[in-house]
């Protein structure tokens, strides 16, 4: 599917291809996991920290990645000190 976009007047157009077809997903080489790291404060044990890290979901295609990325909450809705992580499947954000 093609669309034309006018730039700087009627004579300058750019043709671009876009594909909204979700029936043909584009696989990623690896699966990736979104994690939420809830801030629990200083002085906690490694076990308490590990319990605060939650798996949100896994993506295996380009379309899934953008679906997640485009729907992440705005930064001002995340608890200060907390984090979002994107790690290769099988790697938990613990160090």
């Amino acid at each position: 599917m093609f669309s034309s976009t006018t730039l700087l007047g009627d004579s300058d157009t750019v043709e671009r291809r876009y594909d909204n077809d979700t029936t043909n997903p584009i696989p990623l080489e690896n699966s990736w996991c979104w994690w939420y790291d809830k801030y629990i404060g200083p002085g906690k044990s490694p076990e308490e920290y590990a319990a605060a890290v939650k798996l949100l979901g896994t993506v295996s295609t380009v379309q899934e990645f953008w679906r997640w990325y485009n729907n992440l909450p705005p930064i001002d809705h995340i608890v200060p000190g907390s984090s979002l992580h994107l790690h290769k499947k099988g790697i938990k954000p613990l160090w």
Side-chain angles (χ1 to χ4, degrees):
M1 181 179 298
F2 291 91
S3 73
S4 294
T5 303
T6 302
L7 302 174
L8 305 173
D10 294 332
S11 62
D12 298 318
T13 60
V14 173
E15 223 171 73
R16 60 188 165 129
R17 185 181 191 296
Y18 63 92
D19 187 359
N20 290 330
D21 183 7
T22 57
T23 60
N24 294 315
I26 303 167
L28 298 171
E29 183 174 340
N30 299 294
S31 293
W32 297 84
C33 297
W34 288 102
W35 296 87
Y36 176 66
D37 173 7
K38 181 180 176 186
Y39 180 72
I40 59 172
K44 303 296 182 181
S45 71
E47 293 79 19
E48 290 171 306
Y49 177 73
V53 177
K54 302 293 182 196
L55 176 64
L56 298 177
T58 302
V59 297
S60 300
T61 68
V62 171
Q63 291 89 336
E64 288 174 339
F65 169 81
W66 285 111
R67 191 174 307 120
W68 272 91
Y69 183 83
N70 289 329
N71 289 287
L72 290 174
I75 193 68
D76 59 346
H77 288 111
I78 297 175
V79 175
S82 296
S83 308
L84 291 172
H85 302 269
L86 182 62
H87 284 256
K88 190 174 176 181
K89 188 174 183 178
I91 300 174
K92 195 170 181 180
L94 298 173
W95 45 83

